[in-house]
Amino acid sequence: MELYTPVLVLAALAALFAVGSVALSALTGPARYNRAKLDSYECGIEPTPQAIGGRFPVKYYITAMLFIVFDIEIIFLYPWAVQFDAMGWFGLVEMVVFIATVFVAYVYVWRRGGLEWD
């Protein structure tokens, strides 16, 4: 437990800082709300009204899925590259299976038209 004490103290300080910053800004910040601040913002374009539960094109979800797949791939590839020599054949086979899985997701997105930017 003695080894984890600095990590726990740092985590507690980080949590205290995060909660304290939000609480302090809520207490001391100006509370002048107007319609423009409360209105939705869409990249400088006037917001278009949508019915509740409006439909979004599937392309948004496919793009999000593509981002998540490749983001997670990079997160797993970095530690593997650092410890490549220590893992031996097991690490190589494990990463081939992982890359094959990611490739299947990539082909799926490609076939669904997620890489076409019209």
Side-chain angles (χ1 to χ4, degrees):
M1 184 64 182
E2 186 177 296
L3 295 173
Y4 294 109
T5 303
V7 175
L8 293 174
V9 170
L10 184 61
L13 284 174
L16 182 68
F17 178 74
V19 171
S21 296
V22 171
L24 193 62
S25 69
L27 292 174
T28 61
R32 292 172 284 186
Y33 297 106
N34 59 25
R35 185 169 180 221
K37 281 188 178 181
L38 296 176
D39 206 10
S40 60
Y41 180 73
E42 297 179 4
C43 302
I45 301 170
E46 287 294 322
T48 56
Q50 287 187 352
I52 295 176
R55 294 178 159 230
F56 288 98
V58 175
K59 189 171 208 69
Y60 291 117
Y61 299 111
I62 292 175
T63 303
M65 184 176 63
L66 181 67
F67 171 76
I68 290 170
V69 163
F70 287 107
D71 192 39
I72 291 173
E73 179 186 13
I74 295 302
I75 289 171
F76 283 125
L77 278 176
Y78 181 73
W80 175 77
V82 170
Q83 291 294 319
F84 178 71
D85 290 338
M87 288 189 287
W89 282 102
F90 173 76
L92 181 63
V93 170
E94 197 71 26
M95 194 49 63
V96 166
V97 169
F98 177 70
I99 295 290
T101 307
V102 171
F103 184 70
V104 168
Y106 173 73
V107 169
Y108 172 77
V109 171
W110 184 16
R111 300 277 295 169
R112 297 287 294 184
L115 301 177
E116 296 171 9
W117 297 97
D118 296 328

